[in-house]
Amino acid sequence: MNNMIWNLFLQTGNVETYLLLKQLENEQLDERNNTETESEEIASFQTKM
């Protein structure tokens, strides 16, 4: 994803678009991390049972 965002910026030169895409990418990474953490917590809870 980083390369796609950077290439788009190089082609367009639009800084606002670049920053918005980077923000979106960061939000997606945060969501993935939260989902993984929740899955680990559920697995840990199930193991304790």
Side-chain angles (χ1 to χ4, degrees):
M1 180 85 166
N2 283 338
N3 289 338
M4 290 173 49
I5 292 172
W6 183 248
N7 288 338
L8 181 60
F9 170 67
L10 290 176
Q11 290 173 1
T12 64
N14 189 328
V15 174
E16 291 176 355
T17 301
Y18 174 78
L19 293 174
L20 287 171
L21 288 170
K22 286 300 288 181
Q23 181 181 2
L24 177 62
E25 178 186 47
N26 289 335
E27 289 172 0
Q28 289 176 343
L29 288 174
D30 288 344
E31 287 178 13
R32 283 188 211 140
N33 289 338
N34 289 340
T35 301
E36 290 173 2
T37 301
E38 290 172 1
S39 296
E40 290 172 1
E41 290 174 356
I42 291 170
S44 175
F45 181 74
Q46 289 174 341
T47 301
K48 290 178 183 178
M49 290 179 68

